[in-house]
Amino acid sequence: KAGVTQTPRYLIKTRGQQVTLSCSPISGHRSVSWYQQTPGQGLQFLFEYFSETQRNKGNFPGRFSGRQFSNSRSEMNVSTLELGDSALYLCASSYGGEANEQFFGPGTRLTVL
Amino acid sequence: AQSVSQHNHHVILSEAASLELGCNYSYGGTVNLFWYVQYPGQHLQLLLKYFSGDPLVKGIKGFEAEFIKSKFSFNLRKPSVQWSDTAEYFCAVIGGSQGNLIFGKGTKLSVKP
């Protein structure tokens, strides 16, 4: 089975721009979660989508948004980028049941200049 | 709010030394507990998980963890580390109605050959 894939792997943007990151889950997985990883804050939960609906949301500003498509692929959007948004953005997929094991992708490294 | 504490930021060991990484969580109800590992340049992988039953959980690559409910702890152990265990280790919890993983800040393990 192919693993979780994320595109692009690296991105460089400037402040004020917006960015869209993509995640393709493992085949058969219906839940996709997004996390932000930074050296200072560690891994922080952004949101989770299940069957095209946002099921859970972390404590991030409204500039961070996401969506999920009928094939379970998910996108994450960050608008009006700030320097502090520079991070590794990780996507994880699972079957979606309670406390299912989450499988992580390689991440997208976003640098905001 | 739930939180996870990992006591050590960076641990340096020689090969064949024993390892114990501390993890404490703050949630008082039923929890599901995980240890993830991130090898240099690779994505997060699940080492082991505890949902219920035997509090001593065995994972991949000779790792084990013990859930001690009275201490809200889930420490990771390995009797004899190898150079290839050099990585960052993350403890995580899912508790209550939260479906997302709450991660600790991580512990970097460096194993000297």
Side-chain angles (χ1 to χ4, degrees), chain A residues 33-45:
Chain A
S33 297
W34 289 90
Y35 296 84
Q36 181 195 65
Q37 186 177 20
T38 58
Q41 298 299 317
L43 279 149
Q44 293 186 287
F45 172 72

Side-chain angles (χ1 to χ4, degrees), chain A residues 9 33 35 37 39-45 48 56-57 88 90 98-107, chain B residues 9 32 34 36 38 41-46 49 51 88 90 94 96-105:
Chain A
R9 293 293 311 279
S33 297
Y35 296 84
Q37 186 177 20
Q41 298 299 317
L43 279 149
Q44 293 186 287
F45 172 72
E48 182 210 3
N56 208 350
K57 188 177 187 307
L88 181 67
L90 295 172
E98 191 178 309
N100 272 170
E101 178 182 345
Q102 295 187 19
F103 294 82
F104 283 81
Chain B
H9 178 63
N32 298 297
F34 306 80
Y36 279 85
Q38 193 170 34
Q42 296 187 29
H43 55 269
L44 274 169
Q45 302 170 41
L46 183 69
K49 60 188 177 188
F51 285 1
E88 191 158 14
F90 295 91
I94 295 177
S97 59
Q98 289 289 105
N100 56 280
L101 289 162
I102 307 292
F103 282 93
K105 291 279 177 76

Side-chain angles (χ1 to χ4, degrees), chain A residues 64-108:
Chain A
F64 292 81
S65 63
R67 59 178 177 167
Q68 187 179 33
F69 301 95
S70 57
N71 62 357
S72 293
R73 191 176 70 84
S74 176
E75 286 182 349
M76 185 192 118
N77 186 273
V78 189
S79 62
T80 320
L81 284 166
E82 300 176 1
L83 294 179
D85 297 334
S86 294
L88 181 67
Y89 290 88
L90 295 172
C91 164
S93 76
S94 73
Y95 286 110
E98 191 178 309
N100 272 170
E101 178 182 345
Q102 295 187 19
F103 294 82
F104 283 81
T108 294

Side-chain angles (χ1 to χ4, degrees), chain B residues 6 8-12 21 87-89 106-110:
Chain B
Q6 292 185 240
N8 309 101
H9 178 63
H10 192 184
V11 172
I12 302 172
L21 300 182
E88 191 158 14
Y89 292 80
T107 298
K108 275 201 176 110
L109 172 66
S110 300

Side-chain angles (χ1 to χ4, degrees), chain B residues 37 39 42 45 47 59-63 78 80 82 84-85:
Chain B
V37 60
Y39 296 103
Q42 296 187 29
Q45 302 170 41
L47 263 184
I60 60 170
K61 304 188 181 188
F63 286 90
K78 185 170 184 178
S80 174
Q82 302 172 311
S84 57
D85 293 325

Side-chain angles (χ1 to χ4, degrees), chain A residues 12-19 63 78-82 112:
Chain A
I12 299 176
K13 293 284 187 179
T14 55
R15 275 182 301 176
Q17 287 187 307
Q18 74 161 16
V19 67
R63 300 186 297 107
V78 189
S79 62
T80 320
L81 284 166
E82 300 176 1
V112 182

